[in-house]
Amino acid sequence: MSRALELLARKTGLAVHWTDADGNPRRVSTDVLQAALTALDLPAGTESQIKDSLARLRKQQSATPALTIMKPGAVIESVARGARLVSEDGEICDAPVRNGRSCAPQRPGYYRLADEDRTIAVIPPCAFRVPKRGWGIAVQLYALRGSRGFGDFAALAAFGDQAAAAGADAVAISPVHALFGAAPDHISPYSPSSRLFLNPLYAPAGTGTHASDAALVDWPKAGAAKHRALHHAFQIFRQRPREPSFTAFVRQGGERLLSHARFELLDARFRARGFGSWEKWPDKYRRPDTAAVTAMKSSDPEIEFQLFLQWRADHALAHAQRRCRDAGMRIGLITDMAVGMDPAGSHAWSAPGEVLHRLSIGAPPDLYNEAGQNWGLTNFSPHGLIAGGYEGFIATLRAAMRHASGVRLDHAMGLMRLWVIPHGARPVDGVYLHYPFEQMLGLLVLESLRNRALVIAEDLGTVPRGFRATIARSGLLGMRVLWFERDGSGGFLAPSRWDRDGAALSTTHDLPTLAGWWRGHDIAWRRRLGLGGKATEAARKTRARDRRALWTMLRKAGCAEGRMPGETEPSRFTDAAITALARTSCPLALVPVEDFIGEAEQPNIPGTLDEHPNWRRRLKSTRPLSSPTARRRAAILEAERP
């Protein structure tokens, strides 16, 4: 590898050296670096190309940024003394002066420099925090018993009433991002078309006659039924005088909303003709700024229908949040923000300059995935973020916090770095791409405070050194999962030893439920799917040791008593585990509804598609929290709340 190539890679943010999950130092190959740089529009196949790319990169990085992120009182570079600032509410003031230089105001917020096309974001020291300890229930939204075969925002509002009555402070939901309306096989909530808008299938459409008692969601059938019902509602909507709230919603959504509506319509048209990606559409539709696309106006009935879907979903989610708060919850809804978006989706088409192209994000090999992972998603381009004044990132945060009192960031390490894989390469042949971490974290903290929304950062897996300490100082909560809270020798930590910088969780959507873990149900599933191989028997032996160790810890901590339950007796263990979560010093405990009702099946098994019914399981009852078992476990959490 030449020194020039290594220099270009480093200045671009690519990590030439990295440390694997076993602690071994690794070096990225020349071929991988060249492929990644080419995908970032910095060709590096020859020394001449490297020289030209370095020059272009220096020019990009020397440009004055459209948005400067700074702390209160920091010097505003390249600004004359006495600069005038315009706050978000239109107030004009002089920038404070210190030692003859203009400085940022003390009050956090966004300020436009009156005489320049430039904005500064003054960030607070800490994100929004809930003042008292509390607990919440996590639920996969689609799993609720809705009227048309899956849960929607109306079912969420009803569930919020149940959760509040049980004493919960919050309801954490699975992602509700826009998926692919014309592709019913795209059902993973973590592979969205856009994180800026909502999945319209979650918009209520009346009770109808399509209720289902099936254990699994039939997405093609149920989705088609909901779509027909929503189209009928749209026809009624068009016959009535225009609602001012709809007009205001469309105006507020602006060009991004209109562009998403256009994409949804075009995607449906071209998928019907066999085009699976916008990159294969006819040229005149392949970009959002072509004449054929911009001719599609908001007044066109088909475009207006897409706008109607977003308005109706937005209105219903806002109602669900109000119901949760009005029912007495101290927090309310906590939404979930996926780590990226589908490269064939709305965001990548609508704002191509904001995202990575020809690179997929994933994870390097680790203990759980020896071959590494390719999630098939894209994310923001670091250069695109800076050049665009972080507009897309800010819009994404605001969308997640719009009707919520909290947000969970999936794979939060993406604020600092992402493992990117050139198209066609194996997951192992990737490279870490670094992001402007300090700036993105600052904007996250600012938006958290502006929206009064707490932030839970998923910090599981391969975590960069110093990441957890940094986000803790900024007021973000990490995730502390029962299975992973261990000491240096591998023993389970007593509740009193859990730190205060995270939310306490019994499990996640990708991990076994409490009952499933105790019974070894997840191991049985992996064996059935051929994912365990020769390791299945070793996993069983390890699980048996872990059961004994965990029960011993729970007894010593006063969370359990009596003999250890048998492998097929998970109920007493589940009670004890929830007791332990309630007794940690974590400011928030989150328990999935599956653990309240004793369900052994988990929502998703990573590494599978159709082999396991991922994202399709439905709860057995319309009132899952009314059973004696669920009420007992809610009482455990209530008893430990200060």
Side-chain angles (χ1 to χ4, degrees):
M1 179 186 303
S2 71
R3 290 185 178 180
L5 176 61
E6 184 169 337
L7 176 64
L8 176 61
R10 291 184 186 280
K11 287 188 173 296
T12 305
L14 297 173
V16 177
H17 301 275
W18 61 287
T19 303
D20 65 21
D22 295 323
N24 300 316
R26 302 285 292 273
R27 183 181 178 89
V28 180
S29 71
T30 296
D31 290 345
V32 170
L33 286 179
Q34 289 174 331
L37 287 165
T38 300
L40 293 169
D41 294 323
L42 294 167
T46 66
E47 292 299 316
S48 176
Q49 287 181 334
I50 294 172
K51 182 180 179 180
D52 290 344
S53 292
L54 271 169
R56 189 163 66 256
L57 185 63
R58 290 191 184 102
K59 184 177 180 180
Q60 291 174 355
Q61 294 177 343
S62 64
T64 301
L67 177 68
T68 303
I69 297 102
M70 55 182 54
K71 296 178 180 179
V75 172
I76 308 175
E77 298 293 345
S78 305
V79 173
R81 176 176 175 174
R84 308 209 77 190
L85 303 176
V86 183
S87 67
E88 296 173 74
D89 56 12
E91 179 184 346
I92 300 176
C93 62
D94 292 329
V97 176
R98 189 178 70 244
N99 297 328
R101 306 183 72 180
S102 292
C103 300
Q106 291 297 315
R107 188 179 68 179
Y110 297 93
Y111 298 84
R112 181 173 55 84
L113 289 165
D115 299 324
E116 297 185 37
D117 186 18
R118 183 177 164 195
T119 301
I120 63 171
V122 181
I123 61 173
C126 188
F128 178 76
R129 296 291 293 265
V130 178
K132 295 182 179 180
R133 285 176 56 227
W135 63 275
I137 303 173
V139 65
Q140 300 293 311
L141 178 55
Y142 59 83
L144 295 172
R145 288 278 166 169
S147 63
R148 298 178 186 274
F150 57 91
D152 58 17
F153 292 139
L156 175 61
F159 182 77
D161 288 341
Q162 297 178 48
D169 297 295
V171 171
I173 58 175
S174 49
V176 293
H177 306 309
L179 301 182
F180 287 83
D185 54 326
H186 285 60
I187 64 173
S188 170
Y190 290 95
S191 299
S193 172
S194 172
R195 298 176 296 182
L196 298 175
F197 304 103
L198 298 170
N199 184 345
L201 293 181
Y202 288 143
T207 55
T209 58
H210 300 281
S212 171
D213 292 325
L216 300 176
V217 178
D218 183 338
W219 281 111
K221 180 179 179 181
K226 173 60 80 70
H227 193 270
R228 289 193 298 270
L230 289 168
H231 197 273
H232 177 68
F234 175 63
Q235 297 304 321
I236 297 173
F237 167 81
R238 294 201 80 210
Q239 294 169 10
R240 296 173 176 171
R242 184 56 47 89
E243 295 196 32
S245 63
F246 174 76
T247 303
F249 175 79
V250 173
R251 187 189 312 114
Q252 183 183 36
E255 188 59 33
R256 283 189 184 268
L257 175 60
L258 180 57
S259 188
H260 177 72
R262 290 165 172 163
F263 174 87
E264 284 291 285
L265 177 56
L266 291 171
D267 187 54
R269 287 180 181 175
F270 290 119
R271 281 187 186 274
R273 301 181 195 176
F275 296 92
S277 168
W278 58 264
E279 293 177 330
K280 299 177 182 179
W281 293 356
D283 287 345
K284 64 179 181 178
Y285 296 111
R286 203 171 294 170
R287 296 199 330 270
D289 58 352
T290 62
V293 172
T294 56
M296 303 167 69
K297 304 297 184 181
S298 60
S299 57
D300 295 348
E302 290 180 296
I303 295 295
E304 189 178 53
F305 175 54
Q306 298 298 331
L307 298 173
F308 167 81
L309 292 177
Q310 287 300 316
W311 170 70
R312 194 174 181 106
D314 183 84
H315 180 78
L317 180 57
H319 175 69
Q321 166 70 343
R322 285 195 302 272
R323 282 272 290 271
C324 288
R325 297 285 293 178
D326 291 346
M329 288 190 188
R330 290 192 303 183
I331 299 174
L333 294 180
I334 299 175
T335 57
D336 198 331
M337 194 174 97
V339 65
M341 48 280 198
D342 196 302
S346 165
H347 195 139
W349 177 80
S350 299
E354 289 183 347
V355 304
L356 298 170
H357 297 280
R358 303 185 302 279
L359 290 171
S360 297
I361 63 174
D366 58 25
L367 178 64
Y368 301 100
N369 292 276
E370 295 181 359
Q373 301 175 65
N374 186 333
W375 301 327
L377 301 174
T378 187
N379 205 324
F380 291 112
S381 156
H383 172 69
L385 278 172
I386 298 169
Y390 296 87
E391 181 184 318
F393 178 63
I394 294 170
T396 302
L397 294 176
R398 290 177 178 174
M401 299 175 184
R402 178 174 167 85
H403 299 307
S405 299
V407 60
R408 171 193 175 273
L409 300 186
D410 189 45
H411 194 74
M413 289 81 74
L415 295 169
M416 177 180 281
R417 69 181 189 185
L418 281 171
W419 185 256
V420 297
I421 306 154
H423 283 188
R426 303 174 302 166
V428 68
D429 294 322
V431 56
Y432 276 117
L433 174 62
H434 286 270
Y435 282 74
F437 178 46
E438 183 178 346
Q439 289 79 8
M440 294 178 73
L441 180 60
L443 290 171
L444 173 60
V445 168
L446 175 57
E447 290 299 324
S448 166
L449 195 64
R450 292 172 84 252
N451 292 279
R452 294 183 61 80
L454 64 87
V455 180
I456 300 173
E458 192 223 355
D459 52 354
L460 307 176
T462 304
V463 183
R465 181 178 298 177
F467 179 81
R468 286 197 175 111
T470 301
I471 64 171
R473 285 194 298 270
S474 296
L476 277 60
L477 295 177
M479 287 174 53
R480 306 295 179 259
V481 182
L482 179 65
W483 321 124
F484 303 147
E485 288 304 291
R486 308 198 184 202
D487 58 26
S489 61
F492 289 95
L493 288 177
S496 60
R497 296 179 60 192
W498 287 35
D499 67 65
R500 301 181 180 182
D501 296 329
L505 287 81
S506 55
T507 189
T508 74
H509 57 268
D510 285 337
L511 296 170
T513 64
L514 290 173
W517 186 89
W518 192 260
R519 290 170 51 181
H521 194 63
D522 57 313
I523 298 174
W525 255 114
R526 295 186 71 82
R527 181 184 182 186
R528 189 187 314 175
L529 297 172
L531 299 175
K534 296 180 180 179
T536 299
E537 189 57 36
R540 286 177 175 168
K541 292 179 179 178
T542 300
R543 183 64 53 82
R545 290 195 300 269
D546 283 347
R547 280 194 207 96
R548 291 192 295 271
L550 185 49
W551 186 256
T552 298
M553 181 277 288
L554 291 170
R555 285 190 60 186
K556 289 181 178 179
C559 301
E561 57 184 25
R563 68 169 181 83
M564 186 178 81
E567 183 177 338
T568 59
E569 304 173 287
S571 184
R572 282 200 300 126
F573 161 70
T574 300
D575 287 353
I578 290 176
T579 301
L581 292 176
R583 292 182 180 177
T584 71
S585 57
C586 295
L588 180 66
L590 285 175
V591 178
V593 67
E594 289 86 355
D595 287 340
F596 275 92
I597 63 178
E599 176 60 63
E601 301 287 0
Q602 64 194 75
N604 177 57
I605 294 182
T608 65
L609 293 174
D610 299 326
E611 308 94 320
H612 177 268
N614 295 333
W615 319 119
R616 292 196 290 142
R617 295 194 185 279
R618 303 178 73 210
L619 299 175
K620 296 180 175 65
S621 168
T622 58
R623 297 188 60 82
L625 301 179
S626 63
S627 70
T629 298
R631 290 201 302 268
R632 182 177 72 248
R633 289 167 183 167
I636 291 172
L637 289 158
E638 272 290 278
E640 299 295 334
R641 185 169 67 173

